[in-house]
Amino acid sequence: MSQEVRVRFAPSPTGHLHIGGARAALFNYLFARNQKGKFIVRIEDTDQARNVDAATEKLMESLKWLGIEWDESVDVGGPHEPYQSMERLDIYKKYVEQLIQEGKAYHCYMTEEELEAEREEQRARGETPKYSGRDRNLTEEQKKAYEEEGRKPVVRFLVPQGQEITVDDKVRGKVTFDSDGIGDFVIVRQDGIPTYNFAVVIDDHLMEISHVIRGEEHLSNAPRQVLLFEALGWTPPVFAHASLILNEDRQKMSKRDESIIQFVEQYRDLGYLPEAIVNFISLLGWSPGGEEEILTKDELIEQFTLDRVIKAPAVFDTQKLAWMNNQYMKEADEDRVVWLALPHLVKAGRLPEMMTDEQKKWAYDLIILHQEKMSFGAEIVKLTELFFKEEIDYNGEAKEVLAGEQVPEVLRAFKGKLEEVEDFKAEEIKKAIKAVQKETGHKGKNLFMPIRAAVSGQTHGPDLLQTISLLGRTVVKKRLDSLL
């Protein structure tokens, strides 16, 4: 095993980057940077039936968007090329042959129907289904007979019997497995392509991977991989299995769970900030040293150690994510916030794709008016509804305010003063409201609340003067007229 810390993220190109995968990549990246080591992205594409066209490119794009950089991969190369499993078939073949020659692996000719019948018999006896080992000791004549039937063999690894397999896990401590519960497992399929468990062991050794940091769902793979490392005379890497990620009902998160947005690309498309997503994901199963939860990437790198990765399941709290992204949105550069939000107003048909300079300025001001409240870019559509409605709905609180006895007097005076305003901007509107106060004697809530309720249908919202200015003279006059 390499003295230098070398870690890897090895996704299968079967779709978009899932939150669980993003966390695995992030933990590996943070650990590598903390330890001044190397982070490798390797593509595990041996399961050809599940591979999706262009998935590798999309996975890499999502990692780049998150700001997770790698030192070696399919795009930048490195000393252990190639970094894609299907380009390494000749490498795997050498080690398969070695295991067969040493009597540690063998050809198995059982059909899927025979295997299923065997499993059914085991279930009927109350046993956990596993391969029985029927073809462990076939003679050359038996092999030849099967091949004459047209059968193509798989290669199975011969699991030692009666052996305790201990995985010394940096998160979970020592985890022990009984080899008798595993059964001889397939390391090469009928088509000659190795399985994940075999390819990953060869790649991890040859690429000098020092630590394997991944989700708890991979813990069941660890004993098989340890057995393969030992059979080949190699030292296994250090394992660290991070906790499961649960949904808000504390159930294991499944990709079919629609209560949570689960793919990184979806967050990007909704107008989330990548640094907020990184901050949030880093806290799913890892605890920083202090109380502070808002952490920059550099701060995460500085603090990240495996001894602070938590064994208990992590709960994906959607409200906390919204809160955290809002904290970042508040601090973000105004141009960046507009860039995130504006496409959603266009997509919703609120604004044209081609805008005049005046329309662009209005849209810019509208978005910045709502920057403090925005949790993500797409939310601008809901937040700005009242600016695009012909008729507005008055909520309960607004109706209560508008029932006040002073309201008709305030609104009539306000309407009159607005007609005198030449430049319909916040500063001039402020002067008009002061003039209403002087004329009517009403001030504070008795003055401002009726005006806000009348023009917006609400009693709370962004800056009132900017809101009135952006609504425009025609809309405000119409709303006042309809009430009076």
Side-chain angles (χ1 to χ4, degrees):
M1 187 175 68
S2 171
Q3 293 301 306
E4 176 188 45
V5 165
R6 289 175 59 81
V7 295
R8 49 74 170 175
F9 174 56
S12 298
T14 55
H16 303 289
L17 180 60
H18 187 260
I19 285 293
R23 184 189 66 168
L26 179 62
F27 279 15
N28 278 283
Y29 167 77
L30 295 175
F31 183 67
R33 294 293 176 261
N34 176 274
Q35 297 290 312
K36 307 292 188 288
K38 295 286 194 297
F39 174 58
I40 295 105
V41 174
R42 192 174 71 217
I43 303 302
E44 302 278 3
D45 60 346
T46 58
D47 192 347
Q48 294 286 284
R50 294 179 63 231
N51 292 346
V52 174
D53 288 344
T56 297
E57 291 77 9
K58 287 186 179 296
L59 286 166
M60 307 289 259
E61 279 173 21
S62 291
L63 289 173
K64 284 177 183 173
W65 180 73
L66 290 170
I68 297 175
E69 309 111 2
W70 47 87
D71 303 294
E72 301 168 28
S73 190
V74 290
D75 58 342
V76 296
H80 300 286
E81 293 182 296
Y83 291 93
Q84 194 155 337
S85 299
M86 287 302 289
E87 295 177 11
R88 297 172 63 81
L89 295 182
D90 288 343
I91 297 171
Y92 305 136
K93 190 176 179 182
K94 169 187 166 185
Y95 294 102
V96 173
E97 289 170 356
Q98 178 186 324
L99 289 174
I100 291 172
Q101 285 170 8
E102 292 175 358
K104 296 173 181 175
Y106 59 92
H107 290 102
C108 170
Y109 292 84
M110 287 184 75
T111 64
E112 189 52 50
E113 292 76 20
E114 288 171 336
L115 288 166
E116 184 52 41
E118 187 176 85
R119 288 192 284 264
E120 282 300 322
E121 287 172 15
Q122 289 168 338
R123 289 190 195 101
R125 294 195 299 267
E127 298 170 5
T128 303
K130 67 170 185 175
Y131 175 64
S132 66
R134 189 199 77 174
D135 288 3
R136 273 182 196 155
N137 302 301
L138 292 177
T139 64
E140 289 305 315
E141 289 76 16
Q142 287 172 312
K143 290 180 188 176
K144 188 179 177 184
Y146 281 136
E147 284 167 13
E148 285 173 355
E149 287 179 27
R151 297 194 188 202
K152 288 188 176 178
V154 298
V155 178
R156 288 186 182 271
F157 177 73
L158 181 60
V159 174
Q161 294 182 321
Q163 184 174 316
E164 274 197 351
I165 308 155
T166 300
V167 177
D168 193 1
D169 194 285
K170 284 291 180 186
V171 178
R172 326 201 80 73
K174 288 189 187 298
V175 186
T176 303
F177 300 85
D178 181 356
S179 68
D180 291 347
I182 295 175
D184 298 349
F185 55 91
V186 176
I187 58 172
V188 181
R189 300 185 190 92
Q190 288 179 326
D191 58 6
I193 296 173
T195 59
Y196 162 77
N197 273 320
F198 183 72
V200 78
V201 167
I202 307 302
D203 293 344
D204 283 348
H205 174 73
L206 296 180
M207 294 182 187
E208 303 178 88
I209 299 303
S210 63
H211 295 72
V212 170
I213 305 166
R214 57 191 181 184
E216 186 186 338
E217 64 275 13
H218 283 286
L219 185 59
S220 60
N221 288 322
R224 292 170 173 80
Q225 291 166 14
V226 167
L227 286 171
L228 284 165
F229 274 107
E230 291 174 349
L232 290 161
W234 300 335
T235 303
V238 175
F239 288 101
H241 289 91
S243 63
L244 291 174
I245 301 175
L246 306 181
N247 64 21
E248 288 168 307
D249 296 326
R250 303 191 73 84
Q251 301 296 313
K252 184 180 175 182
M253 202 159 72
S254 102
K255 290 184 181 179
R256 292 181 293 278
D257 185 350
E258 294 182 1
S259 66
I260 292 172
I261 298 166
Q262 298 197 37
F263 296 98
V264 169
E265 206 172 312
Q266 291 173 293
Y267 286 103
R268 185 191 69 191
D269 293 346
L270 283 168
Y272 278 78
L273 290 164
E275 55 268 41
I277 299 292
V278 163
N279 193 162
F280 176 76
I281 292 174
S282 72
L283 301 177
L284 290 174
W286 174 78
S287 171
E291 296 298 315
E292 184 57 55
E293 288 192 304
I294 303 295
L295 298 163
T296 65
K297 188 167 77 171
D298 287 343
E299 288 168 334
L300 290 170
I301 289 169
E302 186 183 343
Q303 293 193 38
F304 192 88
T305 55
L306 292 178
D307 59 2
R308 299 199 70 86
V309 177
I310 301 163
K311 192 189 297 186
V315 176
F316 193 102
D317 185 338
T318 52
Q319 289 186 325
K320 183 173 181 178
L321 173 57
W323 169 82
M324 187 170 280
N325 203 71
N326 174 249
Q327 302 305 302
Y328 279 89
M329 290 288 268
K330 286 176 184 175
E331 300 298 321
D333 177 77
E334 288 187 354
D335 287 350
R336 191 179 181 203
V337 173
V338 172
W339 180 79
L340 286 169
L342 186 58
H344 296 284
L345 288 172
V346 174
K347 185 180 176 183
R350 301 277 172 84
L351 293 169
E353 285 191 33
M354 301 298 292
M355 284 181 265
T356 64
D357 288 344
E358 188 179 353
Q359 285 173 317
K360 286 177 186 175
K361 174 70 169 68
W362 182 85
Y364 191 102
D365 291 343
L366 178 70
I367 291 166
I368 297 310
L369 178 64
H370 293 86
Q371 181 174 353
E372 286 283 311
K373 286 286 183 188
M374 219 186 308
S375 294
F376 53 94
E379 200 173 35
I380 194 67
V381 175
K382 182 182 176 184
L383 289 172
T384 59
E385 256 182 314
L386 72 93
F387 290 86
F388 300 95
K389 281 184 170 183
E390 284 293 320
E391 304 290 332
I392 57 169
D393 303 315
Y394 295 90
N395 66 25
E397 289 180 352
K399 287 177 181 175
E400 197 174 316
V401 166
L402 293 171
E405 59 180 333
Q406 89 287 9
V407 170
E409 182 186 8
V410 167
L411 297 185
R412 282 195 188 94
F414 182 54
K415 182 189 166 195
K417 298 300 178 189
L418 285 182
E419 285 171 358
E420 298 170 15
V421 172
E422 289 185 21
D423 188 14
F424 207 74
K425 298 291 184 234
E427 199 53 43
E428 295 303 310
I429 294 164
K430 184 178 181 181
K431 290 175 185 174
I433 292 176
K434 280 191 173 179
V436 173
Q437 179 181 329
K438 190 172 181 183
E439 180 182 309
T440 64
H442 297 299
K443 58 184 179 180
K445 282 187 176 182
N446 287 338
L447 172 65
F448 289 100
M449 290 292 262
I451 293 172
R452 181 182 286 282
V455 299
S456 72
Q458 303 162 5
T459 55
H460 305 283
D463 181 84
L464 177 60
L465 303 175
Q466 287 287 351
T467 297
I468 293 169
S469 172
L470 288 168
L471 281 167
R473 189 192 303 272
T474 304
V475 170
V476 171
K477 181 177 182 300
K478 185 179 178 185
R479 290 180 181 178
L480 291 172
D481 283 343
S482 70
L483 280 170
L484 291 169

